[in-house]
């Protein structure tokens, strides 16, 4: 029994050590549109997209392309574009207009933590393009990616879900 407890303690120490290595203790402020949000003595980098923002994504650097679009690029070159889009139409109308005017191989709608989200895919033999439409807090958004390797699909989708879950209208805009 003592050996099991010792093994459990060693595993806990290894687990804590691995997770502490993944915590960003130093914030990289080298990009233009990153601001600092300090709450309860915790510093969190924020990415701004138009009047909205969301926390930085691990392994991605951001770059503002214009007033309403930001690109996020990871170490392997995967790029995710996040845009605020026109609010004069409902997100359903924008989505329906898009799928009526574009080539695509699949569409899907899901409820992502209370947010109706519309996915449009154009799949090739080794990669795909994706456009993701959603409305959160009265603002329409588009997340897109091109040439996403099929092997990185979960990686791409999970980061998109994180953006959808965390994006919010900037209260200081």
């Amino acid at each position: 029994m003592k050996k099991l407890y010792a093994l459990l303690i060693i595993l806990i120490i290894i687990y804590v050590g691995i997770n502490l290595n993944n915590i960003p203790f130093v914030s990289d402020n080298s990009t233009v549109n990153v601001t600092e949000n300090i709450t309860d003595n915790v510093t969190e980098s924020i990415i701004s997209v138009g009047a909205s923002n969301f926390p930085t994504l691990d392994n991605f650097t951001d770059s503002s392309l214009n007033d309403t679009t930001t690109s996020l690029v990871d170490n392997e070159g995967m790029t995710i574009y996040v845009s605020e889009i026109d609010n004069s139409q409902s997100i359903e109308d924008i989505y329906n207009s898009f799928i009526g005017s574009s080539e695509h191989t699949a569409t899907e709608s899901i409820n992502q933590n209370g947010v109706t989200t519309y996915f449009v895919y154009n799949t090739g033999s080794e990669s795909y393009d994706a456009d993701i439409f959603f409305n959160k807090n009265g603002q329409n958004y588009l997340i897109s990616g091109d040439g996403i390797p099929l092997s990185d699909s979960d990686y791409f989708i999970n980061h998109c879900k994180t953006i959808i879950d965390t994006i919010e209208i900037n209260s200081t805009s």
Side-chain angles (χ1 to χ4, degrees):
M1 195 67 166
K2 289 181 183 181
K3 290 181 182 180
L4 288 175
Y5 285 126
L7 179 62
L8 178 63
I9 290 171
I10 290 170
L11 290 174
I12 290 171
I13 292 170
I14 291 170
Y15 176 78
V16 169
I18 289 170
N19 285 322
L20 285 177
N21 285 334
N22 292 329
I23 296 174
F25 289 103
V26 179
S27 177
D28 179 9
N29 292 326
S30 61
T31 55
V32 177
N33 62 338
V34 174
T35 58
E36 294 298 320
N37 181 20
I38 301 174
T39 307
D40 298 329
N41 296 324
V42 175
T43 303
E44 178 180 72
S45 295
I46 300 296
I47 297 172
S48 296
V49 177
S52 303
N53 61 54
F54 58 94
T56 57
L57 302 177
D58 290 341
N59 302 320
F60 281 85
T61 57
D62 64 293
S63 177
S64 179
L65 299 179
N66 58 41
D67 291 343
T68 58
T69 302
T70 294
S71 69
L72 307 167
V73 180
D74 77 351
N75 300 337
E76 302 298 318
M78 178 185 290
T79 303
I80 300 174
Y81 298 97
V82 182
S83 302
E84 282 186 347
I85 57 176
D86 183 19
N87 276 338
S88 66
Q89 298 181 55
S90 70
I91 198 67
E92 294 86 4
D93 290 342
I94 293 170
Y95 165 75
N96 288 328
S97 176
F98 182 81
I99 63 172
S101 66
S102 69
E103 291 186 29
H104 56 278
T105 54
T107 61
E108 177 182 6
S109 65
I110 66 165
N111 181 324
Q112 176 59 33
N113 290 330
V115 176
T116 301
T117 307
Y118 301 96
F119 291 83
V120 180
Y121 303 101
N122 191 12
T123 306
S125 61
E126 295 181 19
S127 66
Y128 68 96
D129 301 335
D131 293 291
I132 304 166
F133 298 87
F134 66 100
N135 179 295
K136 188 168 180 187
N137 299 322
Q139 176 61 55
N140 291 333
Y141 298 96
L142 169 64
I143 300 174
S144 59
D146 296 327
I148 302 155
L150 294 174
S151 60
D152 290 340
S153 184
D154 287 344
Y155 177 76
F156 172 77
I157 293 298
N158 288 334
H159 281 91
C160 291
K161 286 179 178 181
T162 298
I163 294 167
I164 294 166
D165 290 345
T166 60
I167 199 163
E168 60 185 30
I169 302 294
N170 186 352
S171 61
T172 60
S173 291

